[in-house]
Amino acid sequence: MNTLPKCVYIGLGSNLDDPVAQLKRGFVALDSLPASCCMRRSSLYRSAPLGPAGQPDYINAVAELETALSAQELLAQLQAIEAHHGRVRGGERWAARVLDLDILLYADVRMHDAVLTIPHAEMLAREFVLYPLFEIAPALEIPGAGNLKQWVERCPARGLERIE
Ligand code: ROI
């Protein structure tokens, strides 16, 4: 546990079992994380699946939290929420999923080890992360990668649709 709360961004995604309801439940679960407070939520977005063809579209969003949890404690909490929502890990890579919760950014931390890469390794190439993040944090600086706005401007929307 850290003493001072940190600002973190979490990406939410689902394409199974009523994805809109899954994301809403995901937001509720984030609201009740220990030592944390959910500050902002993006709208929900419908996105074309990245990965194997033949999957349903995804619903994606981003949440901003203030948390006193360490990045490792936060990861453990997010994995517990995913498991509680029926996510089974260890299946086919990039397969359809009930609820995915990714740490995108953790304050100004840059780290890479066997379990965690922060900033999230692929976030700068994913419209379904960049656009919702930009909605709630338009002036954000990405540690080691400059301002978010330039990444959004370079990233095609690929049919991303804001739904609510
Ligand atoms: N594709 C979209 N559109 N949204 C996601 O959240 C998402 N998550 C994933 C993979 C399988 C890479 N594809 C995705 O993990």
Side-chain angles (χ1 to χ4, degrees):
M1 190 93 80
N2 298 309
T3 38
L4 288 175
K6 301 285 193 306
C7 180
V8 307
Y9 292 91
I10 309 294
L12 299 88
S14 168
N15 71 342
L16 286 179
D17 296 348
D18 193 351
V20 169
Q22 295 296 346
L23 256 70
K24 288 182 176 170
R25 289 175 62 205
F27 279 134
V28 171
L30 291 179
D31 271 333
S32 44
L33 281 176
S36 307
C37 189
C38 188
M39 310 300 284
R40 283 184 229 171
R41 303 168 172 193
S42 76
S43 311
L44 303 187
Y45 291 76
R46 178 173 292 106
S47 63
L50 175 68
Q55 303 186 38
D57 281 351
Y58 279 78
I59 302 298
N60 286 107
V62 170
E64 179 188 299
L65 307 183
E66 295 254 327
T67 186
L69 299 175
S70 68
Q72 291 73 14
E73 289 167 333
L74 180 61
L75 177 66
Q77 292 285 338
L78 298 182
Q79 289 180 344
I81 296 172
E82 289 176 343
H84 186 68
H85 282 67
R87 164 100 186 257
V88 181
R89 288 188 167 267
E92 186 197 343
R93 184 169 183 250
W94 285 13
R97 63 245 354 254
V98 179
L99 184 63
D100 205 5
L101 298 172
D102 291 329
I103 301 176
L104 303 172
L105 300 170
Y106 184 95
D108 56 3
V109 166
R110 294 170 74 185
M111 64 168 290
H112 175 68
D113 65 20
V115 285
L116 260 180
T117 299
I118 299 174
H120 186 280
E122 282 116 36
M123 63 171 282
L124 297 177
R126 294 183 169 181
E127 76 289 354
F128 54 85
V129 172
L130 293 174
Y131 284 67
L133 183 58
F134 187 71
E135 179 192 338
I136 60 172
L140 194 68
E141 291 289 322
I142 313 285
N147 62 58
L148 172 62
K149 187 162 184 279
Q150 60 168 346
W151 290 98
V152 172
E153 284 167 356
R154 275 190 229 155
C155 183
R158 290 208 314 143
L160 186 77
E161 185 190 353
R162 183 164 138 176
I163 56 167
E164 59 182 81

